[in-house]
Amino acid sequence: MFEFNVVSESKVSPARAGIIQTSHGAIETPVFMPVGTHGSVKSVTPEELKDAGAQIILGNTYHLYLRPGCDVIGRFAGLHQFIHWDGPILTDSGGFQVFSLAKLAKISEEGVTFQSHLDGSSHLLTPANVIEIQNCLGSDIIMCLDDCIQYPASKEDSLNALEITTNWAKRCKQAWQEINNGHNALFGIVQGGMFKDLRQRSAEELMKIDFPGYAVGGLSVGEPTDVMLEIAEHSLPHLPVSKPRYIMGVGTPENLIELVALGADMFDCVLPTRNARNGQIFTQFGTVNISNAQYKEDTEPLDSDCQCYTCRNYSRAYLRHLYMARELLSYRLNTIHNIHFFINFMKKIRQAILTNEFEEFRKAYYQKLEN
Amino acid sequence: MFEFNVVSESKVSPARAGIIQTSHGAIETPVFMPVGTHGSVKSVTPEELKDAGAQIILGNTYHLYLRPGCDVIGRFAGLHQFIHWDGPILTDSGGFQVFSLAKLAKISEEGVTFQSHLDGSSHLLTPANVIEIQNCLGSDIIMCLDDCIQYPASKEDSLNALEITTNWAKRCKQAWQEINNGHNALFGIVQGGMFKDLRQRSAEELMKIDFPGYAVGGLSVGEPTDVMLEIAEHSLPHLPVSKPRYIMGVGTPENLIELVALGADMFDCVLPTRNARNGQIFTQFGTVNISNAQYKEDTEPLDSDCQCYTCRNYSRAYLRHLYMARELLSYRLNTIHNIHFFINFMKKIRQAILTNEFEEFRKAYYQKLEN
């Protein structure tokens, strides 16, 4: 089961609010998806994620395939039961990690061979087996295998990766149709490097194959923010308005609000969770580092308007103390706050779209940052 | 406010069940107190501690005095508000850490000087200022400064430490009476190394000073278990039956049940929390290491009889996976289980004392371990 409906559109920009229906529940878009790399959003429980308003989480196929592996997760009929999360799950195809994390990644006609970063063992990911693996994981939204090139990349390399990505997308679609279990939706991934014409071509080729949803990949890989936004701006309009549009691996609150303004619906990023563990806290007034000496005796919460568990119960002074003492609770309390911030931020954006006040919201957001 | 009442005594051993009343609530004894070294029981929240049945937690004066310091905690009118725990708190005097963790600890007439293990700064702990510091922390039960000698120690060194401990105990009592805020109870600490006559002498000297409660210190410092139990057996009977008796820093479930049989009421130990972070899980059938390959595909909970959050929601296979991937959630889920195990174990012991079935419970416990 998979359905997407736009429920409201901004009158002055491509921003829109929608609802995705999956076998594991509904997702209101635009949505931010916390990242649970190894089947756990680092330091927090599913109950805490729900408390923070999370509607869908992301898992990394590359990591879960290598450890604990499909044998183990298959015993639990998929990730949901294994990790104790009953909401929707999206998994990537593993391609991004193969190219960024594994050793000796090598593309062939068949797929991509690589050596595990854990033990050096050799593996092969093909369009067909990434669909198979993600089916075993029981994900609600699964992704095509794509060829993720490094930044910067020449036009030739970008074109080459685009062509491989289209070829793999076709084979992924075929493998997905053959299994056809009706439990998940397959998304195609737009590539094309930092070249607008290649991005357009990639989007058009994927649309011909026809997917239930589309992602824009290969962004936030080291390029300047304005380039990222420009490429997104030239990718999104070439994707069908009736399908969800997902920008992979992005980004800061400012990135998110700009990408929503360009018509994007879905986002994932390790930023709120990873930075929480480094003591960086997101607030409506910008980011702060909790290790800062100014918080030493500060009895106030991180953000007095915030309703998260951390802000309801703990002071900046205690959070600073936990961070300075490298207490495990520090990572967790910071993570709860940051996830709540990102999710609540997207909720406010959605509400503003619904009431046709998105542009006002966007302006007000930047004004607060400047104060 | 502080009151202790014995509510039931075993007919065949000195084991007893009691209730301690404090300003922050009641404590049913025998009780296990989880250790929150830096003002946080590592990885878990106060809500999770209460869920696991914790009635009182312990904080380390040495650590909290050095960081964040009394200036900071004083701003919150004490630890309770600072760390978001509204139940009773016991703090040690800092003596144990000064001798085991700090550098250049040096005893003088006045007290003990040392250098911080954090930054090398010089500090002085005296009988009077450890009372002052613990008052600032707002602890419900505070401890006298004692001279903790290393194991093994000669009789001469043990006697010397005993005499210093008695002298400091007198001065602690005096400082406590001068402040006399009525909010906390001061416990004396029996020392005397591994010498029965010195232990008896220490207990008798402390009783003359007269404290609301008594602890046996200097155990579980490297001596064999039978020596520890023998020394406890020769210390406890010399302490008044009308006062709570606390064995510091002990121990395994087997230690706890034996010490309860000898008449001890209170225990603290890092064992359940530290070992949780090393993957060691306590169950009614003994300890297991979650990294063991046999759990790789095990869909069962850690202990099918256990009602803790971890056992209600997660399998051994998932817990093994989290541990192997060094996920932060691993430390937390293991900690929740181990704390629940220790506290539930003490609850069962207490219930057995109340129904006069303690000896049967003790036998049944060992039988299960042998299976």
Side-chain angles (χ1 to χ4, degrees), chain A residues 314-331 333, chain B residues 34-44 46 49 57-70 72-73 76 78-85 89-92 97 101-102 116-119 137 139 268 270 273-274 277:
Chain A
Y314 302 93
S315 63
R316 290 175 183 149
Y318 184 59
L319 294 169
R320 179 179 188 272
H321 166 63
L322 291 179
Y323 185 75
M324 299 308 280
R326 298 294 182 265
E327 279 287 334
L328 290 169
L329 192 59
S330 165
Y331 309 125
L333 294 180
Chain B
V35 179
T37 307
H38 302 102
S40 165
V41 177
K42 291 194 192 305
S43 84
V44 296
L49 289 168
I57 60 171
L58 190 140
N60 286 122
T61 294
Y62 170 86
H63 290 288
L64 292 164
Y65 159 74
L66 289 180
R67 186 176 60 191
C70 285
V72 173
I73 296 172
F76 294 81
L79 267 182
H80 292 88
Q81 198 196 317
F82 184 59
I83 73 173
H84 174 54
W85 167 262
I89 295 177
L90 181 150
T91 45
D92 59 11
Q97 275 80 22
L101 198 58
S116 162
H117 73 292
L118 295 174
D119 60 8
L137 297 177
S139 317
D268 79 284
V270 295
T273 42
R274 178 177 292 165
R277 300 194 303 279

Side-chain angles (χ1 to χ4, degrees), chain A residues 37-48 63-64 67-68 71-72 75-76 81-84 277 296-299 309 313-315 317-318 321-322 324-329 331-333, chain B residues 37-48 63-64 67-68 71-72 75-76 81-84 277 296-299 309 313-315 317-318 321-322 324-329 331-333:
Chain A
T37 307
H38 302 102
S40 165
V41 177
K42 290 192 192 307
S43 84
V44 296
T45 58
E47 287 82 358
E48 285 167 338
H63 290 288
L64 293 164
R67 185 174 62 189
D71 285 1
V72 173
R75 288 236 169 208
F76 294 80
Q81 198 196 317
F82 184 59
I83 73 174
H84 175 53
R277 299 194 304 279
K296 197 177 175 197
E297 301 192 4
D298 192 334
T299 58
Y309 169 76
N313 297 297
Y314 302 93
S315 63
Y318 184 59
H321 166 63
L322 291 179
M324 299 308 280
R326 298 294 182 265
E327 279 287 334
L328 290 169
L329 192 59
Y331 309 125
R332 177 177 167 193
L333 294 180
Chain B
T37 307
H38 302 102
S40 165
V41 177
K42 291 194 192 305
S43 84
V44 296
T45 58
E47 288 82 358
E48 284 167 339
H63 290 288
L64 292 164
R67 186 176 60 191
D71 285 1
V72 173
R75 287 236 169 208
F76 294 81
Q81 198 196 317
F82 184 59
I83 73 173
H84 174 54
R277 300 194 303 279
K296 197 177 175 198
E297 301 192 4
D298 193 332
T299 58
Y309 169 76
N313 296 297
Y314 302 93
S315 63
Y318 184 60
H321 166 64
L322 291 178
M324 300 308 280
R326 298 293 182 267
E327 279 288 334
L328 290 169
L329 192 59
Y331 309 125
R332 177 176 167 192
L333 295 180

Side-chain angles (χ1 to χ4, degrees), chain B residues 95-96 99 107 146-162 164-165 191-195 198-199 217-219 221:
Chain B
F96 182 78
F99 294 108
I107 292 179
D146 58 337
D147 183 357
C148 305
I149 45 168
Q150 290 190 319
Y151 175 84
S154 68
K155 190 153 188 177
E156 194 189 342
D157 288 346
S158 300
L159 175 60
N160 192 34
L162 180 167
I164 291 168
T165 297
Q191 289 290 348
M194 301 302 157
F195 302 94
L198 296 188
R199 286 285 174 173
L219 293 182
V221 289

Side-chain angles (χ1 to χ4, degrees), chain A residues 286-326:
Chain A
T287 56
V288 296
N289 202 306
I290 197 61
S291 66
N292 200 311
Q294 76 182 93
Y295 303 122
K296 197 177 175 197
E297 301 192 4
D298 192 334
T299 58
E300 292 297 308
L302 290 174
D303 185 335
S304 52
D305 286 346
C306 179
Q307 288 304 308
C308 81
Y309 169 76
T310 303
C311 287
R312 280 187 282 115
N313 297 297
Y314 302 93
S315 63
R316 290 175 183 149
Y318 184 59
L319 294 169
R320 179 179 188 272
H321 166 63
L322 291 179
Y323 185 75
M324 299 308 280
R326 298 294 182 265

Side-chain angles (χ1 to χ4, degrees), chain A residues 66-299:
Chain A
L66 289 179
R67 185 174 62 189
C70 284
D71 285 1
V72 173
I73 296 172
R75 288 236 169 208
F76 294 80
L79 267 182
H80 292 87
Q81 198 196 317
F82 184 59
I83 73 174
H84 175 53
W85 167 263
D86 61 8
I89 294 176
L90 180 150
T91 44
D92 60 10
S93 67
F96 182 77
Q97 276 80 22
V98 165
F99 294 108
S100 62
L101 199 59
K103 291 167 193 160
L104 303 176
K106 218 170 149 182
I107 291 179
S108 68
E109 172 66 23
E110 205 181 355
V112 52
T113 58
F114 64 95
Q115 291 187 356
S116 162
H117 73 293
L118 295 173
D119 61 7
S121 56
S122 290
H123 299 269
L124 168 69
L125 284 187
T126 66
N129 79 7
V130 299
I131 299 300
E132 210 177 295
I133 295 166
Q134 292 180 86
N135 264 315
C136 162
L137 296 177
S139 317
D140 300 277
I141 300 175
I142 67 177
M143 305 300 294
C144 286
L145 187 64
D146 58 336
D147 183 357
C148 305
I149 44 167
Q150 291 190 318
Y151 175 84
S154 68
K155 190 152 189 179
E156 195 189 342
D157 288 346
S158 300
L159 175 61
N160 192 33
L162 179 166
E163 286 174 342
I164 292 168
T165 297
T166 300
N167 175 299
W168 285 353
K170 277 181 201 153
R171 288 157 61 188
C172 281
K173 173 88 186 275
Q174 197 184 339
W176 178 67
Q177 281 178 317
E178 279 164 14
I179 295 174
N180 188 26
N181 62 16
H183 290 313
N184 55 33
L186 175 63
F187 280 31
I189 304 175
V190 175
Q191 290 289 350
M194 302 302 157
F195 302 93
K196 293 176 196 171
D197 54 337
L198 295 188
R199 288 284 174 174
Q200 179 174 346
R201 178 173 153 187
S202 177
E204 286 167 356
E205 288 179 0
L206 293 175
M207 272 177 70
K208 272 185 213 145
I209 306 172
D210 187 23
F211 290 99
Y214 296 87
V216 180
L219 293 182
S220 206
V221 289
E223 77 281 12
T225 299
D226 57 344
V227 173
M228 183 272 285
L229 290 173
E230 213 182 323
I231 295 301
E233 192 174 358
H234 281 83
S235 302
L236 289 165
H238 300 292
L239 296 171
V241 291
S242 62
K243 301 287 173 70
R245 300 183 287 205
Y246 162 29
I247 308 284
M248 302 183 83
V250 181
T252 64
E254 293 82 271
N255 293 162
L256 298 185
I257 203 166
E258 292 310 312
L259 290 164
V260 167
L262 296 173
D265 306 300
M266 302 167 67
F267 306 93
D268 79 284
C269 193
V270 295
L271 201 69
T273 42
R274 178 177 293 164
N275 290 21
R277 299 194 304 279
N278 293 325
Q280 193 185 49
I281 305 296
F282 289 86
T283 81
Q284 57 182 324
F285 304 105
T287 56
V288 296
N289 202 306
I290 197 61
S291 66
N292 200 311
Q294 76 182 93
Y295 303 122
K296 197 177 175 197
E297 301 192 4
D298 192 334
T299 58

Side-chain angles (χ1 to χ4, degrees), chain B residues 124-361:
Chain B
L124 168 69
L125 284 188
T126 66
N129 78 7
V130 300
I131 300 300
E132 209 178 296
I133 295 166
Q134 291 180 87
N135 264 316
C136 162
L137 297 177
S139 317
D140 299 278
I141 300 176
I142 68 177
M143 305 300 294
C144 286
L145 186 64
D146 58 337
D147 183 357
C148 305
I149 45 168
Q150 290 190 319
Y151 175 84
S154 68
K155 190 153 188 177
E156 194 189 342
D157 288 346
S158 300
L159 175 60
N160 192 34
L162 180 167
E163 287 175 341
I164 291 168
T165 297
T166 299
N167 175 298
W168 286 353
K170 278 181 201 154
R171 288 158 61 188
C172 281
K173 173 86 185 276
Q174 197 184 337
W176 178 68
Q177 281 178 317
E178 279 164 14
I179 294 175
N180 188 26
N181 62 16
H183 289 313
N184 55 33
L186 175 64
F187 280 31
I189 304 176
V190 176
Q191 289 290 348
M194 301 302 157
F195 302 94
K196 293 177 197 171
D197 54 338
L198 296 188
R199 286 285 174 173
Q200 180 175 345
R201 179 174 153 186
S202 178
E204 286 168 356
E205 289 179 359
L206 293 175
M207 272 177 69
K208 272 185 212 145
I209 307 171
D210 187 23
F211 290 98
Y214 296 87
V216 180
L219 293 182
S220 206
V221 289
E223 77 282 11
T225 299
D226 57 344
V227 173
M228 183 272 286
L229 290 173
E230 214 182 322
I231 295 301
E233 192 174 358
H234 282 83
S235 302
L236 290 165
H238 300 292
L239 296 171
V241 292
S242 61
K243 301 286 172 73
R245 300 184 287 207
Y246 162 29
I247 309 283
M248 302 183 83
V250 182
T252 65
E254 294 82 89
N255 293 162
L256 298 185
I257 203 166
E258 292 311 313
L259 290 165
V260 168
L262 297 172
D265 307 299
M266 301 166 68
F267 306 93
D268 79 284
C269 193
V270 295
L271 201 68
T273 42
R274 178 177 292 165
N275 290 21
R277 300 194 303 279
N278 293 324
Q280 192 185 49
I281 305 296
F282 289 87
T283 81
Q284 57 182 322
F285 304 106
T287 56
V288 296
N289 201 306
I290 197 60
S291 66
N292 200 310
Q294 76 182 93
Y295 303 122
K296 197 177 175 198
E297 301 192 4
D298 193 332
T299 58
E300 292 297 308
L302 290 173
D303 185 334
S304 52
D305 286 347
C306 179
Q307 288 304 309
C308 81
Y309 169 76
T310 304
C311 287
R312 280 187 281 115
N313 296 297
Y314 302 93
S315 63
R316 290 173 183 150
Y318 184 60
L319 294 169
R320 178 179 189 273
H321 166 64
L322 291 178
Y323 184 75
M324 300 308 280
R326 298 293 182 267
E327 279 288 334
L328 290 169
L329 192 59
S330 165
Y331 309 125
R332 177 176 167 192
L333 295 180
N334 294 350
T335 299
I336 288 173
H337 172 82
N338 278 358
I339 288 180
H340 183 275
F341 178 86
F342 270 65
I343 285 170
N344 201 44
F345 182 62
M346 296 308 277
K347 271 190 191 162
K348 286 179 187 165
I349 287 178
R350 187 174 198 271
Q351 191 53 34
I353 296 171
L354 290 175
T355 57
N356 205 28
E357 295 166 307
F358 177 64
E359 280 311 311
E360 292 80 353
F361 178 85

